Amino acid sequence: MATYLSPCSSSSTSSTRSSFKNETPQFSKFITSLREAHSSSRWVSQICLRTPARKHFQLKSSNGHPLNAVSFNDAGSPVGKEQTEPRGKVFPISDSENVESKLSITVVGASGDLAKKKIFPALFALYYEDCLPENFVVFGYARTEMTDEELRNVISTTLTCRIDQRENCEEKMDQFLKRCFYHAGQYNSEEHFAELDRKLKEKEAGSKSNRLFYLSIPPNIFVDVVRCASVRASSANGWTRVIVEKPFGRDSESSAQLIKCLKHYLTEDQIFRIDHYLGKELVENLSVLRFSNLVFEPVWSRNYIRNVQLIFSEDFGTEGRGGYFDKYGIIRDIMQNHLLQILALFAMETPVSLDAEDIRNEKVKVLRSMRPLLLEDVVVGQYKGHSKGSKSYPAYIDDPAVPKDSRTPTFAAAALFIDNARWDGVPFLMKAGKALHTRRAEIRVQFRHVPGNLYKRNFGTDLDKATNELVLRVQPDEAIYLKINNKVPGLGMRLDRSDLNLLYRSRYPAEIPDAYERLLLDAIEGERRLFIRSDELDAAWALFTPLLKQLDEKKIVPELYPYGSRGPVGPHYLAAKHNVRWGDLGDDD
Ligand SMILES: NC(=O)C1=CN([C@@H]2O[C@H](COP(=O)(O)OP(=O)(O)OC[C@H]3O[C@@H](n4cnc5c(N)ncnc54)[C@H](OP(=O)(O)O)[C@@H]3O)[C@@H](O)[C@H]2O)C=CC1
Ligand SMILES: O=C1O[C@H](COP(=O)(O)O)[C@@H](O)[C@H](O)[C@H]1O
């Protein structure tokens, strides 16, 4: 029987990721001993806590079934142990006997940027942390001709060990690389996938095996690959799952079309639509902060919160990705997915449980309660070239893959509203841009004024500056801090702004796992909580599609801003219109 325990990091040992209902006394005792061992040393991510548990315990979901043995299809009706896909093919989806089964992971698009930068390193990190099953193989698949050895050489340059180095790092790398293989093939060739299937079978040597395909390829070939993989290379006796990278379409229509095409070959349960921001530590902690601390949830509404700001900035341009980016732009690249997902998690009502469907149900409700964006509540920008001393920085349109007259925004700011009882009238401001002065992603929550504040004279005229602000800094330098007013020690009565600061690197010395590690592990374990369900996607596109169409039809010209600056001025007018001041303006923010 498949058994599950919480994941590699310490926070997850506190049962935040999975429901530990129905746990046995033996299970509780085991968890307690692990927690004690870990808390005493504050050594937080050295063993994969999921792995040992597989051998002895079973984690059940809130419906009492083993996690994964029963899941829900789109309509919410239970799906049995096996599910018939639309063309009559049977995909067993149970994870039972996972312990004995083999796992084959195929990275499609293995020659690409994301595979090298993120996916192979994440797989190695999972292996290093003993989070992968004992019997696993990794296959790279792409058109580029490469031998196994060449693939190993390429990926070996990107593998790293955790900073809290263990002695056998080199050895672990070698062992991992020995399990990596490569198969060159076309993305639309069933024959080439049948060859892959033969190679996979050779490695699986007749055992029960589960297969995970990671589509790290441009979206125009998603459907071809899914067709070929599902028809020719899905597992005959275990589960077959497919992780799909973004973008999931360009608007409501193309997204619906993509969903339809993928579902022609796969069931919703087999599709893992990845949004890697959901795998970031601070984003995952959002619900923990809110639902497991008494002090936050009571103030989490329009009664106390003045506005919420979701800010993403990068200090580099589209370097090398201009061809992709020009078709999508910053609104589709960052806002419609990463920032909107964070917003949904931030604003959702308390879910019935931590089960994937309960959480995703609440997120969908938020998305469906939102007003579609209006053109007047959006500002767009595009970076232009800039010289600083002897160094010059290119304009967006200097990218050889970008047309000179491109109107694609590399920056956008927007004001969004959730028309429900909790958030009525509260502006949710988003701001996202490339080629800005800093790299940062954060959530800022600005609270209302203290009514009848006894100390208002001490703040001068700007009461707004004296309100509390909670900041969750997603990256870099993960932190949660609360800006408060405090008396400056001394005989007078002078107040200043101070931070109650939880800086992760001071509190938790272990390296934080990359988002891709968490998400890959979840996909392997069949945990869907951090993946996007198709109805979430529909709701997200419904919000942005009318705006995107207007931007196109009205040929809105983006405001230019210099590479490396703080962006265009438009967002300040937008914020002022909604009585908001961006929280990231000062250097001490
Ligand atoms: N790179 C990143 O930082 C991020 C990427 N993503 C998404 O992940 C996916 C992969 O990204 P990335 O690795 O950057 O993509 P790449 O452009 O590097 O493409 C991956 C591989 O796909 C093949 N490929 C590229 N273009 C085509 C084409 N037109 N037709 C057929 N095959 C093609 C190439 O392999 P070969 O020629 O060998 O077949 C290439 O190595 C994309 O969907 C992207 O949007 C998401 C978040 C971040
Ligand atoms: O999805 C994307 O994300 C990256 C930023 O990811 P991060 O984890 O490095 O913050 C962004 O650069 C890219 O344009 C986008 O497609």
Side-chain angles (χ1 to χ4, degrees):
M1 265 300 182
T3 50
Y4 299 87
L5 190 62
S6 61
C8 315
S9 68
S10 69
S11 59
S12 50
T13 59
S14 60
S15 82
T16 52
R17 283 165 63 80
S18 309
S19 55
F20 289 126
K21 288 173 188 170
N22 307 316
E23 63 190 39
T24 62
Q26 193 187 12
F27 179 87
S28 309
K29 211 169 143 199
F30 178 67
I31 294 279
T32 310
S33 66
L34 277 175
R35 279 192 195 128
E36 281 166 359
H38 280 249
S39 61
S40 60
S41 61
R42 287 184 64 209
W43 174 66
V44 286
S45 67
Q46 293 281 316
I47 340 168
C48 185
L49 292 178
R50 282 177 181 173
T51 313
R54 280 203 185 94
K55 299 191 177 105
H56 311 290
F57 304 106
Q58 183 176 55
L59 176 64
K60 291 182 178 171
S61 71
S62 58
N63 59 19
H65 294 283
L67 214 67
N68 293 335
V70 167
S71 49
F72 286 80
N73 64 19
D74 256 356
S77 55
V79 184
K81 261 191 150 190
E82 285 186 344
Q83 190 163 316
T84 308
E85 65 87 45
R87 300 171 78 217
K89 208 168 153 75
V90 172
F91 289 115
I93 59 169
S94 165
D95 257 0
S96 58
E97 290 158 39
N98 218 6
V99 186
E100 304 306 328
S101 58
K102 299 204 167 179
L103 173 67
S104 304
I105 303 165
T106 304
V107 181
V108 183
S111 57
D113 181 59
L114 186 73
K116 278 184 262 186
K117 226 171 47 187
K118 294 288 184 183
I119 304 169
F120 287 113
L123 288 171
F124 171 63
L126 291 176
Y127 174 69
Y128 184 70
E129 300 285 338
D130 294 330
C131 286
L132 292 181
E134 222 163 285
N135 294 306
F136 78 93
V137 286
V138 177
F139 262 82
Y141 186 102
R143 295 171 307 179
T144 304
E145 288 296 336
M146 246 193 283
T147 61
D148 294 342
E149 215 38 55
E150 281 165 337
L151 174 80
R152 289 170 191 160
N153 287 339
V154 173
I155 61 183
S156 66
T157 59
T158 61
L159 305 185
T160 52
C161 294
R162 297 261 184 242
I163 32 180
D164 48 350
Q165 299 246 1
R166 272 173 273 169
E167 283 161 13
N168 57 354
C169 178
E170 287 294 316
E171 197 186 309
K172 279 256 184 184
M173 274 191 194
D174 286 347
Q175 287 163 357
F176 174 77
L177 290 170
K178 278 190 194 134
R179 303 204 189 198
C180 294
F181 304 90
Y182 185 77
H183 183 70
Q186 296 295 322
Y187 298 112
N188 59 0
S189 165
E190 288 190 20
E191 198 188 310
H192 294 169
F193 276 86
E195 286 164 14
L196 171 73
D197 183 58
R198 280 195 285 281
K199 285 191 180 173
L200 289 171
K201 280 190 177 129
E202 240 173 64
K203 306 290 173 208
E204 292 160 358
S207 321
K208 175 180 180 250
S209 76
N210 298 316
R211 292 187 180 175
L212 178 67
F213 291 86
Y214 195 125
L215 305 198
S216 181
I217 43 173
N220 57 318
I221 45 178
F222 285 170
V223 179
D224 276 339
V225 171
V226 164
R227 174 176 55 82
C228 296
S230 71
V231 172
R232 295 303 184 126
S234 51
S235 168
N237 53 13
W239 52 251
T240 301
R241 294 179 187 145
V242 180
I243 299 181
V244 189
E245 260 297 346
K246 59 176 264 261
F248 312 115
R250 290 188 81 250
D251 51 23
S252 292
E253 291 79 29
S254 51
S255 164
Q257 182 64 18
L258 183 59
I259 291 173
K260 193 173 148 208
C261 291
L262 294 185
K263 286 195 185 174
H264 189 67
Y265 300 103
L266 302 168
T267 63
E268 176 69 12
D269 274 346
Q270 294 179 285
I271 306 171
F272 288 71
R273 298 178 194 88
I274 202 165
D275 181 317
H276 76 280
Y277 265 64
L278 290 182
K280 297 214 179 237
E281 190 60 46
L282 263 280
V283 177
E284 179 145 53
N285 193 41
L286 189 51
S287 298
V288 180
L289 188 75
R290 193 178 151 195
F291 298 123
S292 74
N293 292 294
L294 185 65
V295 294
F296 292 113
E297 186 51 21
V299 297
W300 219 253
S301 74
R302 65 191 302 278
N303 298 330
Y304 296 95
I305 292 179
R306 217 162 21 120
N307 66 75
V308 181
Q309 304 177 15
L310 304 152
I311 299 175
F312 168 96
S313 72
E314 274 180 344
D315 56 0
F316 51 91
T318 53
E319 281 107 45
R321 294 186 74 219
Y324 151 79
F325 193 86
D326 202 61
K327 288 196 211 87
Y328 292 91
I330 200 80
I331 297 176
R332 295 180 177 94
D333 192 44
I334 302 293
M335 281 188 167
Q336 181 272 350
N337 36 70
H338 302 331
L339 296 189
L340 191 63
Q341 281 297 320
I342 297 178
L343 184 153
L345 271 180
F346 179 97
M348 71 184 183
E349 297 300 315
T350 314
V352 175
S353 78
L354 291 174
D355 279 3
E357 301 321 318
D358 289 332
I359 293 172
R360 298 193 293 184
N361 287 344
E362 293 308 326
K363 280 164 65 195
V364 173
K365 283 190 213 160
V366 172
L367 298 175
R368 292 183 54 207
S369 307
M370 291 179 72
R371 271 181 234 165
L373 266 164
L374 302 174
L375 198 52
E376 68 235 39
D377 277 331
V378 175
V379 171
V380 289
Q382 188 187 85
Y383 65 87
K384 59 179 182 183
H386 173 60
S387 300
K388 206 172 173 186
S390 59
K391 201 151 168 47
S392 61
Y393 300 89
Y396 171 64
I397 53 167
D398 290 337
D399 187 313
V402 172
K404 291 286 170 227
D405 59 351
S406 172
R407 282 181 279 104
T408 301
T410 59
F411 178 99
L416 295 103
F417 291 89
I418 306 172
D419 288 333
N420 67 12
R422 187 185 283 266
W423 297 113
D424 192 11
V426 177
F428 282 75
L429 292 196
M430 283 183 184
K431 188 161 70 162
K434 290 196 174 268
L436 293 171
H437 74 300
T438 187
R439 175 174 175 262
R440 163 196 323 228
E442 60 189 16
I443 307 163
R444 287 179 172 263
V445 187
Q446 295 186 342
F447 289 89
R448 293 190 181 281
H449 302 117
V450 174
N453 193 331
L454 286 175
Y455 292 96
K456 66 174 173 249
R457 268 202 233 125
N458 303 64
F459 302 128
T461 49
D462 199 348
L463 269 183
D464 276 2
K465 275 196 168 164
T467 60
N468 296 123
E469 185 172 11
L470 175 68
V471 183
L472 282 83
R473 193 162 63 220
V474 176
Q475 65 186 32
D477 258 350
E478 290 83 348
I480 301 172
Y481 56 98
L482 179 66
K483 288 175 180 265
I484 57 158
N485 300 306
N486 203 49
K487 179 180 170 299
V488 178
L491 297 178
M493 177 51 73
R494 200 157 58 82
L495 305 193
D496 80 351
R497 300 274 283 157
S498 293
D499 291 344
L500 296 179
N501 196 350
L502 172 59
L503 186 59
Y504 271 46
R505 88 177 115 79
S506 313
R507 175 72 181 91
Y508 306 107
E511 191 181 331
I512 293 174
D514 187 75
Y516 284 88
E517 291 172 40
R518 191 187 311 279
L519 294 169
L520 271 160
L521 189 54
D522 278 354
I524 292 166
E525 302 219 324
E527 168 60 69
R528 293 168 178 83
R529 196 162 50 83
L530 300 178
F531 293 88
I532 317 292
R533 209 167 60 185
S534 64
D535 53 348
E536 285 185 77
L537 196 53
D538 289 341
W541 278 121
L543 282 178
F544 282 90
T545 297
L547 165 81
L548 291 162
K549 289 211 160 119
Q550 275 188 300
L551 284 170
D552 249 11
E553 284 159 12
K554 299 203 163 138
K555 300 191 184 340
I556 302 294
V557 178
E559 188 183 333
L560 295 179
Y561 61 96
Y563 192 118
S565 68
R566 283 179 176 265
V569 291
H572 299 290
Y573 292 109
L574 177 68
K577 180 175 147 191
H578 295 287
N579 218 1
V580 176
R581 182 200 301 257
W582 290 104
D584 62 338
L585 295 184
D587 282 326
D588 60 340
D589 36 80

